[in-house]
Amino acid sequence: MSPAGRWRPLSLVFLLGMGMAAGDGGCPSGCSCRYLEVNCTGRRLQEFPAAIPLDTRQLILAANNVSYLPAVELSFLADLVYLDCRNNLLGDDLDFTFVGVVKLVYLDLSFNNLTQVTYSTFSQLLSLVVLKMSDNPNLVAIEKDAFANNTWLRHLDVSRTGLTFLDASTVQDLPNLRLLGLSDNLWHCNCSFLDFITWMTESSVHFPDADNITCYTPEALRALKMPAAEVQLQSSCQTHLHKQDYIFLCFIGFCIFFAGTVVAWLAGICAVIYQIHSSKEEEEEEEEEEKDAVT
């Protein structure tokens, strides 16, 4: 065999080895890495790890002390499809954090300190299928259009949060939603919440732990499950009027009566004026006719 023939296999092995090394891109300190996955679970990280391989598809940051996700560093992970950030210290404003990871399919933000979800929080995640935000006790507000762009969302969990209200349009416009976790929240079951409860009872969506989806306020409905709460609210919201409602209705009635009286009075005055004016015209015509007859 010629020297060139002997060296060709060795050259091929060398090039393949270099390619694999280039694909690895290193591994963050304290984390474990394997093909397309970086796992930093329980490493007491205080911040987002550096030197994550750019071809990472699955990133697990569970059980750390990370309080901030840098949008710029995340945007380098353009192929990321799975992000697990459960049991960290994430909170406050996450708007525009995920603008660079548009391929993300799975996102777990449970057991954190989230406070609100706006349209800008997940609006870029057009491929999102699973979103977990349970066990965020400070999560008190989700805007009604927060998931307007997440039409592929199938699994949404907001159990055990500080939510007291959720607009029906927030979830009823998600065509692929199949599972919605709502248990152990502080739901305020008033007339404004009736549309959401009605949607729940009529929807084909599955609600895990449905026995623990109950009213927290008002006191009269506390611990009442949603189907029973719907019956109570439909009865009270359709027939019951508050004191302010009666005052408003009386005021409207008085305004209508007063306006009618004024209109009738003005119509009467106009009729009288018209009659007087007509009578004067007739008298003038008669006087002219008498003068013409005399002449």
Side-chain angles (χ1 to χ4, degrees), residues 45-95:
L45 298 179
Q46 301 292 324
E47 56 186 23
F48 191 78
I52 297 177
L54 301 184
D55 60 352
T56 299
R57 299 286 183 88
Q58 182 169 322
L59 177 58
I60 304 174
L61 301 175
N64 284 289
N65 297 313
V66 178
S67 59
Y68 174 69
L69 293 177
V72 175
E73 282 84 341
L74 270 178
S75 67
F76 294 146
L77 307 177
D79 292 325
L80 196 67
V81 296
Y82 184 104
L83 179 58
D84 183 353
C85 296
R86 70 184 186 276
N87 198 11
N88 274 279
L89 303 176
L90 299 175
D92 297 328
D93 190 4
L94 289 179
D95 287 358

Side-chain angles (χ1 to χ4, degrees), residues 232-251:
Q232 294 281 346
L233 288 173
Q234 283 183 341
S235 175
S236 61
C237 293
Q238 292 175 0
T239 60
H240 179 68
L241 294 176
H242 296 285
K243 181 179 178 181
Q244 295 88 342
D245 298 324
Y246 285 110
I247 294 174
F248 178 75
L249 290 175
C250 289
F251 176 74

Side-chain angles (χ1 to χ4, degrees), residues 12-63:
L12 181 60
V13 171
F14 176 77
L15 290 174
L16 288 174
M18 290 294 292
M20 292 179 61
D24 284 346
C27 188
S29 176
C31 301
S32 62
C33 297
R34 60 181 183 178
Y35 181 64
L36 302 180
E37 178 188 288
V38 175
N39 192 335
C40 304
T41 302
R43 301 307 174 106
R44 299 181 182 178
L45 298 179
Q46 301 292 324
E47 56 186 23
F48 191 78
I52 297 177
L54 301 184
D55 60 352
T56 299
R57 299 286 183 88
Q58 182 169 322
L59 177 58
I60 304 174
L61 301 175

Side-chain angles (χ1 to χ4, degrees), residues 249-269:
L249 290 175
C250 289
F251 176 74
I252 293 298
F254 173 77
C255 290
I256 293 173
F257 173 77
F258 180 76
T261 303
V262 171
V263 170
W265 178 71
L266 291 174
I269 291 178

Side-chain angles (χ1 to χ4, degrees), residues 1-236:
M1 181 181 294
S2 65
R6 289 197 302 270
W7 285 106
R8 188 175 294 116
L10 294 176
S11 300
L12 181 60
V13 171
F14 176 77
L15 290 174
L16 288 174
M18 290 294 292
M20 292 179 61
D24 284 346
C27 188
S29 176
C31 301
S32 62
C33 297
R34 60 181 183 178
Y35 181 64
L36 302 180
E37 178 188 288
V38 175
N39 192 335
C40 304
T41 302
R43 301 307 174 106
R44 299 181 182 178
L45 298 179
Q46 301 292 324
E47 56 186 23
F48 191 78
I52 297 177
L54 301 184
D55 60 352
T56 299
R57 299 286 183 88
Q58 182 169 322
L59 177 58
I60 304 174
L61 301 175
N64 284 289
N65 297 313
V66 178
S67 59
Y68 174 69
L69 293 177
V72 175
E73 282 84 341
L74 270 178
S75 67
F76 294 146
L77 307 177
D79 292 325
L80 196 67
V81 296
Y82 184 104
L83 179 58
D84 183 353
C85 296
R86 70 184 186 276
N87 198 11
N88 274 279
L89 303 176
L90 299 175
D92 297 328
D93 190 4
L94 289 179
D95 287 358
F96 305 106
T97 297
F98 306 104
V99 293
V101 285
V102 296
K103 295 182 181 179
L104 206 62
V105 172
Y106 180 100
L107 177 59
D108 192 342
L109 298 171
S110 56
F111 294 94
N112 277 279
N113 294 324
L114 306 185
T115 58
Q116 65 175 349
V117 177
T118 71
Y119 172 78
S120 302
T121 307
F122 306 119
S123 60
Q124 300 298 317
L125 301 181
L126 306 184
S127 301
L128 195 62
V129 174
V130 177
L131 176 58
K132 298 182 179 181
M133 296 186 292
S134 64
D135 299 281
N136 278 274
N138 297 319
L139 179 59
V140 296
I142 297 179
E143 290 186 359
K144 66 179 183 178
D145 61 346
F147 309 119
N149 288 357
N150 311 120
T151 54
W152 287 103
L153 199 59
R154 292 178 62 89
H155 180 160
L156 174 63
D157 193 355
V158 290
S159 302
R160 297 175 297 281
T161 67
L163 290 174
T164 60
F165 175 80
L166 198 60
D167 194 282
S169 64
T170 306
V171 290
Q172 69 183 6
D173 295 331
L174 295 174
N176 295 295
L177 189 64
R178 297 293 178 269
L179 186 147
L180 178 58
L182 300 170
S183 61
D184 296 305
N185 285 325
L186 309 178
W187 300 117
H188 181 49
C189 297
N190 59 1
C191 295
S192 299
F193 198 52
L194 179 58
D195 286 344
F196 185 84
I197 298 176
T198 301
W199 172 81
M200 284 184 60
T201 57
E202 296 177 352
S203 173
S204 59
V205 174
H206 174 60
F207 301 95
D209 199 14
D211 289 341
N212 286 324
I213 305 176
T214 58
C215 299
Y216 186 75
T217 55
E219 184 67 30
L221 301 181
R222 177 166 293 185
L224 205 62
K225 297 177 184 178
M226 292 304 163
E230 181 187 16
V231 175
Q232 294 281 346
L233 288 173
Q234 283 183 341
S235 175
S236 61

